[in-house]
Amino acid sequence: MRAVLFDLDDTLIPDLEASTAAFEAACGPLRESHGLDPAEVGRSVAAHARALWRASPHIGYCRAMGIASWEGLWATFEGDDPNLRALRRWAPEYRAG
């Protein structure tokens, strides 16, 4: 028997938990090199990302579409919609922030 699973926005699979764990693992070397707690670095980065996201000129569209700040860190914003094209152009600035 085969099955296809479609899961959007943490409906069945908790994506945020896995993303948080992966980010903390990636920040692990900061503990040895700089004495920083990876979990605290993760919380700080997430707070900064949310602040940048909320200050974005695209926040209205993102809220209407349900696009979260953490999704902006990896999403490609594919499509011909003018809002998506604008997000594609703006995303590198957001990610560098």
Side-chain angles (χ1 to χ4, degrees):
M1 181 167 116
R2 290 186 184 188
V4 176
L5 173 66
F6 293 96
D7 182 31
L8 298 173
D9 297 327
D10 292 329
T11 306
L12 301 172
I13 300 171
D15 183 57
L16 184 57
E17 183 179 309
S19 298
T20 299
F23 190 82
E24 286 181 19
C27 291
L30 293 174
R31 182 182 304 277
E32 285 187 32
S33 64
H34 292 57
L36 298 173
D37 175 18
E40 182 57 34
V41 171
R43 286 188 292 274
S44 178
V45 168
H48 183 67
R50 280 191 302 274
L52 290 174
W53 192 256
R54 290 178 183 143
S56 154
H58 311 290
I59 190 64
Y61 175 75
C62 291
R63 284 185 173 152
M65 298 304 293
I67 304 170
S69 60
W70 60 272
E71 291 172 304
L73 295 172
W74 56 263
T76 57
F77 304 113
E78 296 295 321
D80 291 328
D81 181 277
N83 292 297
L84 291 173
R85 286 196 304 265
L87 276 169
R88 256 194 320 272
R89 286 189 304 272
W90 177 76
E93 176 184 338
Y94 167 66
R95 293 169 185 153

